[in-house]
Amino acid sequence: MFRKILLYIALSLTLISVIYFSFIYYIPYSEGVRSGELIKISHKGFIVKTWEGELSQGISGAQIFTFSVMENEDVVIAEMKKWQGKKVTLEFEERYKTFFWWGDTRYFITKVTLEN
């Protein structure tokens, strides 16, 4: 009887964890676009390295949009390195929460385009 209760508790906790992580990973809170001057892109961290960046949307950096880039977004990272200091448009997804191995912010860049 005790083993059966313990098994149900373990299965319930596992199911709740799977649902929680799936929700955080697959369902974005919002999606959008921001434009400005790409002023920073860096690979930072001590144990877990993440890609972090900043976009200046105002005069003299009055409005800074901080964002993260997922490690698997190789094309986005390469384009940001190439276009650093230029005016770009960033498409992003905002997540409900983030995990430390994803990045420091809840905003994750999915596409970057150079503005003319």
Side-chain angles (χ1 to χ4, degrees), residues 43-62:
H43 198 214
K44 67 181 225 175
F46 182 66
I47 295 174
V48 178
K49 297 258 188 206
T50 60
W51 286 97
E52 310 296 329
E54 293 180 350
L55 184 77
S56 174
Q57 294 182 282
I59 299 171
S60 71

Side-chain angles (χ1 to χ4, degrees), residues 2-39:
F2 180 70
R3 285 185 187 173
K4 203 174 204 181
I5 292 172
L6 197 58
L7 179 64
Y8 284 137
I9 290 172
L11 287 175
S12 297
L13 290 174
T14 302
L15 182 63
I16 289 169
S17 296
V18 167
I19 290 170
Y20 175 75
F21 284 105
S22 297
F23 179 78
I24 297 299
Y25 187 78
Y26 290 109
I27 300 175
Y29 177 71
S30 70
E31 297 173 343
V33 177
R34 298 235 180 154
S35 294
E37 181 184 354
L38 183 61
I39 57 174

